[in-house]
Amino acid sequence: MLKKSIEALKLEAENTGKNSLKRSLGAINLVAIGVGVIIGAGLFSLTGIAAANNSGPAVILSFVIAAVGCAFSALCYAEFASMVPVSGSAYTYAYATLGELFAWIIGWDLVLEYSVGAATVGISWSQYLVKFLEKFDIFIPPQLVLSPFETATLADGSIVHGFVNLPSILIIGLITSIIIRGTKSSALFNAIVVALKVGVVIVFIALGWKYIDPANYHPFIPTNTGTFGEFGWSGVLRGAGVVFFVFIGFDIVATMAQETKNPQRNMPIGILGSLIVCTILFILFGYVMTGLANYTEFKDSAAPVAIAIANTPYEWLGIAVILAILIGYTSVILVDLLGQSRVFYSMSKDGLLPKVFSELHPKFNTPYKSNIVLCIFISLFAGLVPISVVGEMTSIGTLLAFVMVCLGILILRKKQPHLERPFKTPFVPVVPILGIITCVVMMVSLPFDTWLRLFVWLAIGFVIYFVYGKKRSKLRRETKL
């Protein structure tokens, strides 16, 4: 199997010439990027769903278990990111350990994950914007917030068809323009929105704390109904599977390696730091939410936080939460688009995709053409396709990447034990093996249509690889294979 050498990757990382990404990110920037994508609207919905259907007030234990599961993969990512500080994340790591074909599979799958994620979040952002503006008696015509395949019933009973989801297109275009100007500008924008939405989470925790009713914590772990996953300890575990997806996103930090100052030090801080910060906030958030209202009240609610806020005198906090969701989605879109373009950049630099995806802006040193192409592609989905078709942002591709990274650590530790490792994953092989097991279990629990989407996308990717990528592979040409 054709592989990149670690030495070649290190030389690529040390390249600071004209055709290389600018190193402008520090440890705090990376933590902010990680927190920016992890804390999304999922926190405000999945916490209530897990509490109502699976774990009750013990949802905070579910958060702990999910965080531990993520930590296995995060520790493996941190070792790779410090050892191979090159743009591309799991794609690059797979290229060095599992070979070109596996690297293509991971890179192609991550691109799908980021694309679907950005489009879906853009559509949902548009819906929340409508709700937010309606609180101030500002109404956007439904024709401009729905796809052509959707309809809306007006107050007089008439039905109108959508034309285009304009807000979703505008937000993706806006975020793309910020990304094109460079990761420093992107990081500054992301830091601002992260500060705002984390602020709302902290305000919710601080103001809600004194209105907690201790009676809502009893029983802390509700008795199992007789069905696995419905309360009891099995419910706590099932709840961990539900909230696990709230944590996913720290891996995108690894795509920023080639734009990071002192990556050997800062990448592990960024990856592990963002995971630790979010875990603490999630546990406190879940504790306050289930303390303000009985977990049974969250059943079948699309806005469980609103139910919790109703038990406080702070009605304005409901508006703040919607604002936090809007801000949260904005930073998720930013990091999805950022991570996607960096994976494409790495694949293009390796010759597996056309050069247009790795051409850098003469002033900003960003892959601007790639950003523009991806912006158009994703905007078409976000503006013209209903969210039910685009689908929820699923995690199967990310979980597959986690498995490959954990597997890569096992392979490199065995085959190249003497490589310099500024950060070392502890307790190898236990941690990588536990990471693989955790991720595979999560993948198996995903619905069939998610797997079907993955297989169809990979099939398209195989055709592109064997028709185009394999023949133009830079490494393949250099080794004359």
Side-chain angles (χ1 to χ4, degrees):
M1 183 70 71
L2 191 63
K3 301 176 184 177
K4 267 192 174 184
S5 70
I6 297 296
E7 291 74 17
L9 289 172
K10 286 184 176 180
L11 287 174
E12 184 179 338
E14 293 167 3
N15 176 27
T16 56
K18 184 179 179 180
N19 195 37
S20 63
L21 297 170
K22 187 182 295 184
R23 294 194 182 277
S24 59
L25 303 177
I28 294 177
N29 299 135
L30 294 174
V31 171
I33 287 173
V35 172
V37 72
I38 295 172
I39 299 183
L43 174 64
F44 302 100
S45 58
L46 290 180
T47 305
I49 292 171
N53 300 325
N54 308 111
S55 49
V59 68
I60 61 175
L61 296 181
S62 296
F63 274 123
V64 172
I65 294 170
V68 170
C70 273
F72 295 139
S73 298
L75 288 167
C76 294
Y77 262 97
E79 177 173 323
F80 263 126
S82 68
M83 185 172 58
V84 190
V86 181
S87 182
S89 184
Y91 159 78
T92 302
Y93 308 155
Y95 215 146
T97 55
L98 302 173
E100 185 176 272
L101 181 58
F102 281 98
W104 171 269
I105 293 172
I106 293 299
W108 188 248
D109 187 65
L110 285 176
V111 166
L112 171 67
E113 211 61 37
Y114 297 155
S115 297
V116 172
T120 305
V121 174
I123 296 170
S124 194
W125 184 92
S126 174
Q127 294 174 350
Y128 275 106
L129 177 66
V130 171
K131 292 180 181 179
F132 182 75
L133 294 177
E134 285 177 352
K135 290 184 177 293
F136 300 94
D137 295 323
I138 300 174
F139 301 94
I140 301 176
Q143 294 94 330
L144 297 181
V145 293
L146 296 174
S147 77
F149 304 97
E150 296 174 294
T151 59
T153 303
L154 303 181
D156 60 3
S158 60
I159 298 176
V160 296
H161 284 269
F163 177 68
V164 65
N165 192 332
L166 187 59
S168 65
I169 292 177
L170 293 177
I171 189 62
I172 290 171
L174 174 64
I175 298 301
T176 297
S177 67
I178 293 172
I179 291 173
I180 288 174
R181 293 187 62 83
T183 50
K184 190 171 183 179
S185 299
S186 303
L188 176 62
F189 175 82
N190 187 62
I192 293 171
V193 297
V194 167
L196 289 172
K197 68 179 176 180
V198 169
V200 170
V201 172
I202 292 174
V203 167
F204 172 79
I205 294 169
L207 296 182
W209 196 278
K210 68 177 183 178
Y211 296 99
I212 288 175
D213 182 358
N216 289 326
Y217 295 126
H218 301 287
F220 184 66
I221 302 179
T223 305
N224 183 261
T225 62
T227 302
F228 182 88
E230 293 183 6
F231 308 110
W233 278 105
S234 68
V236 173
L237 293 173
R238 177 67 62 80
V242 173
V243 301
F244 178 87
F245 303 109
V246 175
F247 285 94
I248 289 176
F250 68 84
D251 61 301
I252 294 181
V253 174
T255 67
M256 301 290 103
Q258 208 164 341
E259 295 157 274
T260 300
K261 295 179 289 188
N262 191 7
Q264 287 80 3
R265 169 186 176 272
N266 291 333
M267 288 306 298
I269 293 175
I271 292 170
L272 297 174
S274 58
L275 186 60
I276 292 170
V277 169
C278 291
T279 300
I280 294 171
L281 287 175
F282 291 176
I283 291 172
L284 292 173
F285 185 89
Y287 180 80
V288 171
M289 197 176 87
T290 54
L292 290 175
N294 189 277
Y295 70 92
T296 57
E297 296 181 49
F298 303 134
K299 187 76 173 177
D300 300 323
S301 173
V305 180
I307 296 172
I309 292 173
N311 292 297
T312 74
Y314 307 114
E315 292 185 14
W316 58 268
L317 197 54
I319 297 176
V321 167
I322 294 180
L323 181 61
I325 291 174
L326 281 171
I327 295 170
Y329 271 150
T330 302
S331 58
V332 171
I333 294 170
L334 183 146
V335 182
D336 272 342
L337 294 178
L338 201 59
Q340 181 189 44
S341 65
R342 272 38 176 187
V343 172
F344 258 25
Y345 171 83
S346 294
M347 296 174 77
S348 176
K349 288 279 287 184
D350 292 331
L352 303 180
L353 288 173
K355 288 183 179 180
V356 65
F357 294 106
S358 58
E359 292 182 13
L360 300 183
H361 193 282
K363 179 179 179 181
F364 303 123
N365 279 85
T366 55
Y368 69 110
K369 291 184 179 179
S370 177
N371 291 135
I372 293 171
V373 171
L374 293 171
C375 175
I376 295 171
F377 173 74
I378 295 170
S379 294
L380 288 173
F381 270 89
L384 302 176
V385 181
I387 196 168
S388 58
V389 176
V390 175
E392 283 187 300
M393 182 182 179
T394 57
S395 304
I396 192 167
T398 311
L399 288 168
L400 180 59
F402 286 4
V403 170
M404 293 296 188
V405 169
C406 292
L407 185 60
I409 290 296
L410 290 174
I411 293 172
L412 270 190
R413 284 290 186 95
K414 183 175 179 62
K415 291 191 173 183
Q416 300 187 54
H418 302 300
L419 281 173
E420 181 185 358
R421 292 172 168 85
F423 177 89
K424 297 184 71 172
T425 303
F427 308 114
V428 174
V430 176
V431 167
I433 290 174
L434 289 175
I436 292 170
I437 293 172
T438 302
C439 295
V440 169
V441 169
M442 296 293 177
M443 290 175 70
V444 171
S445 68
L446 291 171
F448 174 74
D449 61 340
T450 301
W451 282 91
L452 184 61
R453 183 210 63 178
L454 175 66
F455 289 138
V456 170
W457 181 254
L458 290 180
I460 295 172
F462 278 128
V463 172
I464 295 175
Y465 172 72
F466 287 108
V467 172
Y468 180 92
K470 186 176 180 180
K471 295 178 181 178
R472 292 168 174 79
S473 166
K474 182 178 178 181
L475 183 61
R476 194 171 293 275
R477 290 199 309 269
E478 289 173 351
T479 54
K480 298 180 181 179
L481 292 178

